[in-house]
Amino acid sequence: MDLALGNRRALVMGGSRGLGNAIARALCAEGARVAICARDATRVAAAAAELGAEGIACDLAVPGAAADLVEEAIRRLGGLDILVVNTGGPPPGLFVELDDSTWRRTFEALWMSSVGAIRAALPGMRERRWGRILLVTSVAAKEPVPNLMLSNSLRAGLHGMVNSLAREVAADQVTVNALLPGYTLTERLQELRLDEAKVAASIPAGRIGSPAEFASVAAFLLSGPASYLTGQALAVDGGLLQSI
Ligand SMILES: NC(=O)c1ccc[n+]([C@@H]2O[C@H](COP(=O)([O-])OP(=O)(O)OC[C@H]3O[C@@H](n4cnc5c(N)ncnc54)[C@H](OP(=O)(O)O)[C@@H]3O)[C@@H](O)[C@H]2O)c1
């Protein structure tokens, strides 16, 4: 299938490694022009050079940074057709362990960066009557994961935003979806220090997923042929979620 992504202009937030990097790689392979961002300037420059993309250093946890990032990507690419909202994962922890400042910092990094980036990217997409917005969230938003209070709480709300926004902008031919990673082999997963053999055994597919498997679904959702698919929250999880 031709994904019709040639010359589409895409910003993948958090694209120096992990899932964001795999999505950026898939889009580059389809001929899109891509910008990525991350906090570590050296690493984002190296990843961008390897992909043939634009690399932009920024910290999405800083208020206003996401809007500035989108403006910079528009300046470098000459416009933006595709926005992948992918932020760093929130710290683990139980409710009783999390203080107000951790909740506020995480809300800023996860939630307000999503709002800021989407608000900055939408006007051009609506004007051109073509746009793809994809939020990378988590299976934790549908089935809470033990010890991930922040992720379980905040991401469920983002799915409400995806569903409502999708209907606000559908007539302008802009789609808005969420893609929910299950357990996927990235540095983030290693940071959580899980017993990987035990995790693999808990997944119906019997193994942890690869970033490339996740990215191929993302590339389809961001493609031309996915034009009638909007407001959805789709898990790529090897069968982990049991809800209908
Ligand atoms: N992997 C999984 O199994 C899994 C499962 C469920 C949900 N998720 C979620 O999916 C998302 C991506 O996960 P991943 O596994 O790809 O994570 P990862 O391997 O840690 O990569 C995260 C990427 O985002 C960048 N980043 C992190 N914080 C940032 C910030 N404040 N500002 C700008 N860039 C930032 C990182 O670069 P810098 O560190 O240089 O900034 C890196 O490029 C996360 O939200 C994660 O919680 C992952």
Side-chain angles (χ1 to χ4, degrees), residues 151-163:
S151 186
N152 296 341
S153 308
L154 297 177
R155 282 178 155 142
L158 282 175
H159 286 180
M161 184 172 78
V162 163
N163 190 279

Side-chain angles (χ1 to χ4, degrees), residues 122 125-126 130-133 166 169-170 172-176 230:
L122 258 179
M125 293 179 182
R126 298 184 87 172
W130 200 100
R132 299 283 181 270
I133 296 173
V169 299
D172 293 324
Q173 313 310 315
V174 176
T175 70
V176 187
T230 195

Side-chain angles (χ1 to χ4, degrees), residues 74-119:
I74 289 173
R75 197 184 64 73
R76 294 201 198 184
L77 300 173
L80 201 62
D81 307 302
I82 293 170
L83 173 68
V84 178
V85 179
N86 171 56
T87 58
L94 300 171
F95 184 85
V96 290
E97 297 164 346
L98 299 166
D99 58 18
D100 284 0
S101 72
T102 308
W103 275 100
R104 289 203 176 94
R105 219 174 31 248
T106 307
F107 183 75
E108 194 64 51
L110 194 74
W111 243 97
M112 291 316 296
S113 69
S114 305
V115 171
I118 293 169
R119 187 185 285 127

Side-chain angles (χ1 to χ4, degrees), residues 13-20 37-40 43 58-61 86-90 109-110 136-139 151 155 181-189 191:
M13 293 157 70
S16 68
R17 54 191 161 88
L19 303 178
C37 84
R39 289 166 300 184
D40 184 324
R43 212 163 165 177
C58 83
D59 184 352
L60 295 165
N86 171 56
T87 58
L110 194 74
V136 176
T137 61
S138 174
V139 287
S151 186
R155 282 178 155 142
Y183 292 102
T184 318
L185 208 49
T186 66
E187 284 182 29
R188 159 79 176 166
L189 195 73
E191 275 165 21

